[in-house]
Amino acid sequence: MFDWLVVGAGFAGSVLAERLASQRGDKVLIVDRRAHIGGNAFDWYDEAGILVHRYGPHIFHTNSDAIVRYLSQFTDWRSYEHRVLACVDGQLLPIPINLNTINRLYRLNLTSVEMERFLASRREGVDEPKTAEDVVVGTVGRELYEKFFRGYTRKQWGLDPSQLSRSVTARIPTRTDRDDRYFTDKFQCMPDGGYTRMFQRMLSHPNIKVMLQTDYREIRDAVPFRRLVYTGPIDEFFDFRLGRLPYRSLRFDHVTLDQARFQPVAVVNYPQTEAFTRITEYKHLTGQEHPQTSLTYEYPVSEGDPYYPVPNAQNEALYKQYEALAAQEPEVLFAGRLATYRYYNMDQVVGQALAAFERIRKASPLHGAAVAEVVG
Ligand code: FAD
Ligand code: UDP
């Protein structure tokens, strides 16, 4: 008898499995329907021997010391500050928009103060920004919105920015200085040795059994377990009984070139006419030396593996109904990006899972009563 069946071996499932096994001595079976652990953070050495991410670029960044301390038990780190360029009107320009972006795009020589005035004269008055469009036009104006955001967002989400919640584009700041880092978190690093290696160490505990290429639905009646952690799509758990929650998918085109470098930074965004949204060149992320280079092109698609919850009011309302159903399942703990329908970064998922574990520890003595909660 397993104390826990954990569905999904991504960050949410692996952190919970590790904590339950190592801190409580619980016996855990973790299953994933994919052929590997690590969820969307999975990386592997491709045929050329280059470390690449199967599901697009994953850059670790956080302001939480506790999350770094926790993950550092399983990996060393390699310092890496992410920088992204956007291909706009034939030029490669820094994104998030900063002083250099504006000066190069418009062939100007503005100072930071002048850039403030420049933006003030262009931004549109938006009383209370609600949508992904409002946020951008209310900060940089319509022309820059159209060049950098509108096309990218329409491709990425299959929706106009006016149909998405503000949180989507609010992820991208605007800067009037020359800081061209994508993130400003105090901790920005990549796991030295890769994500998969880190997951292997998390899950290599004698109390954890890993089963891959196994769908939860195939084994739920065959394997005895006391409680369930579920990190897959929440609507699927309930057999879509309230309708489908939209998740955006991607097709990843992985290629290897016989040249040492392809582009100047790890990620170049294509917000204009191309069908793909971005190209990632992994050697920038990992620091690997190799005479060849491997890239991933991302093509957003509506059908396929669920990668992104789609943030808007309508979807949030449907999720709330599923959340209410989940609250009626005291033996099941829902965690992670798909099961709580949140556009979370990796550190946020780790934080959510660690918080859930603390609640289990408090609510339920060892091998004790059921966990009557849904992770919030
Ligand atoms: P997942 O990683 O999706 O894991 C869920 C697992 O559950 C999957 O492996 C799935 O196969 C399994 N599963 C589902 N249903 C079942 C079932 N019925 N039976 C068995 N198994 C099942 N975050 C960052 O912090 N930085 C980044 O740079 C970054 N870049 C990203 C780029 C892309 C293209 C994407 C898609 C995401 C990115 N993220 C990034 C977000 C990051 O991937 C997630 O925050 C994190 O991986 C979520 O972990 P999770 O465990 O919640 O979900
Ligand atoms: N975005 C954009 N242009 C860009 C970068 C981002 O329009 O050059 C918008 C787009 O809607 C995207 C969102 O901002 O989905 C969040 O970007 P982020 O890079 O955080 O996306 P992720 O890495 O999560 O795919």
Side-chain angles (χ1 to χ4, degrees):
M1 168 72 88
F2 289 98
D3 296 307
W4 297 88
L5 172 61
V6 176
V7 180
F11 269 102
S14 298
V15 168
L16 276 157
E18 187 282 325
R19 288 288 84 185
L20 291 164
S22 74
Q23 302 300 299
R24 292 170 53 94
D26 288 356
K27 290 202 165 26
V28 180
L29 173 64
I30 182 165
V31 300
D32 203 298
R33 59 187 168 200
R34 288 169 167 166
H36 57 74
I37 57 173
N40 288 339
F42 173 73
D43 54 14
W44 93 111
Y45 285 88
D46 66 11
E47 281 178 16
I50 299 171
L51 184 61
V52 303
H53 299 183
R54 180 160 297 169
Y55 306 100
H58 278 71
I59 294 101
F60 189 79
H61 57 101
T62 189
N63 283 316
S64 163
D65 294 331
I67 290 169
V68 174
R69 254 197 323 276
Y70 172 72
L71 291 176
S72 299
Q73 298 175 82
F74 313 105
T75 188
D76 294 329
W77 299 96
R78 167 180 193 270
S79 268
Y80 168 75
E81 286 189 328
H82 194 43
R83 288 182 169 78
V84 178
L85 296 170
C87 183
V88 170
D89 299 346
Q91 285 195 77
L92 292 183
L93 300 168
I95 178 87
I97 291 172
N98 69 22
L99 183 57
N100 286 337
T101 314
I102 298 299
N103 281 339
R104 287 187 201 148
L105 179 64
Y106 294 111
R107 298 182 202 291
L108 295 170
N109 198 13
L110 302 179
T111 62
S112 292
V113 174
E114 288 165 341
M115 178 173 165
E116 302 270 8
R117 274 190 233 124
F118 177 92
L119 294 181
S121 71
R122 291 173 164 239
R123 66 174 62 111
E124 294 182 8
V126 181
D127 284 346
E128 199 197 321
K130 287 203 180 62
T131 70
E133 175 182 331
D134 294 344
V135 174
V136 184
V137 297
T139 311
V140 298
R142 195 151 293 271
E143 185 173 294
L144 289 164
Y145 160 74
E146 281 173 2
K147 286 187 189 300
F148 287 86
F149 287 90
R150 185 164 180 268
Y152 188 106
T153 303
R154 288 175 70 102
K155 274 193 270 187
Q156 170 70 14
W157 301 95
L159 293 172
D160 190 78
S162 60
Q163 299 169 291
L164 287 159
S165 89
R166 65 184 303 283
S167 61
V168 173
T169 47
R171 289 167 64 90
I172 314 298
T174 302
R175 305 200 185 106
T176 52
D177 59 15
R178 293 192 161 82
D179 185 351
D180 61 350
R181 293 170 306 159
Y182 208 65
F183 308 113
T184 50
D185 304 53
K186 68 179 182 194
F187 188 86
Q188 305 186 37
C189 277
M190 300 293 288
D192 206 14
Y195 289 96
T196 304
R197 178 83 63 84
M198 178 177 79
F199 280 96
Q200 281 165 348
R201 292 188 182 134
M202 288 170 84
L203 295 175
S204 69
H205 187 282
N207 282 5
I208 301 177
K209 181 172 167 48
V210 181
M211 276 176 81
L212 299 175
Q213 292 178 290
T214 305
D215 196 298
Y216 150 69
R217 285 165 300 189
E218 293 163 23
I219 56 140
R220 65 181 162 193
D221 298 325
V223 175
F225 60 92
R226 290 198 175 86
R227 283 169 272 173
L228 184 67
V229 170
Y230 181 82
T231 75
I234 189 167
D235 54 344
E236 186 182 317
F237 182 87
F238 292 105
D239 298 321
F240 310 105
R241 79 174 76 144
L242 304 172
R244 281 184 183 265
L245 273 169
Y247 295 89
R248 190 68 171 158
S249 193
L250 293 169
R251 179 167 68 77
F252 299 99
D253 206 352
H254 301 287
V255 297
T256 299
L257 305 179
D258 285 330
Q259 60 196 61
R261 273 279 179 267
F262 174 72
Q263 60 190 29
V265 289
V267 172
V268 176
N269 286 355
Y270 288 83
Q272 295 186 316
T273 49
E274 293 77 3
F276 47 86
T277 48
R278 58 186 177 189
I279 304 177
T280 300
E281 183 177 19
Y282 293 99
K283 283 163 63 186
H284 293 280
L285 300 179
T286 58
Q288 190 177 355
E289 301 278 341
H290 197 288
Q292 294 169 294
T293 194
S294 291
L295 318 173
T296 300
Y297 291 69
E298 286 172 59
Y299 293 88
V301 287
S302 49
E303 298 299 321
D305 276 1
Y307 293 123
Y308 292 85
V310 182
N312 66 26
Q314 192 186 342
N315 301 342
E316 185 57 22
L318 181 55
Y319 166 67
K320 286 283 167 210
Q321 293 180 36
Y322 275 113
E323 192 185 35
L325 286 182
Q328 293 164 27
E329 301 279 341
E331 299 294 327
V332 187
L333 194 151
F334 294 85
R337 180 150 140 145
L338 304 173
T340 62
Y341 206 66
R342 285 185 175 84
Y343 186 1
Y344 270 173
N345 294 325
M346 294 179 282
D347 64 320
Q348 294 170 299
V349 172
V350 173
Q352 188 195 46
L354 291 175
F357 174 72
E358 283 310 315
R359 274 176 274 174
I360 292 167
R361 178 140 79 174
K362 287 194 185 115
S364 131
L366 285 178
H367 304 293
V371 187
E373 67 179 314
V374 174
V375 183

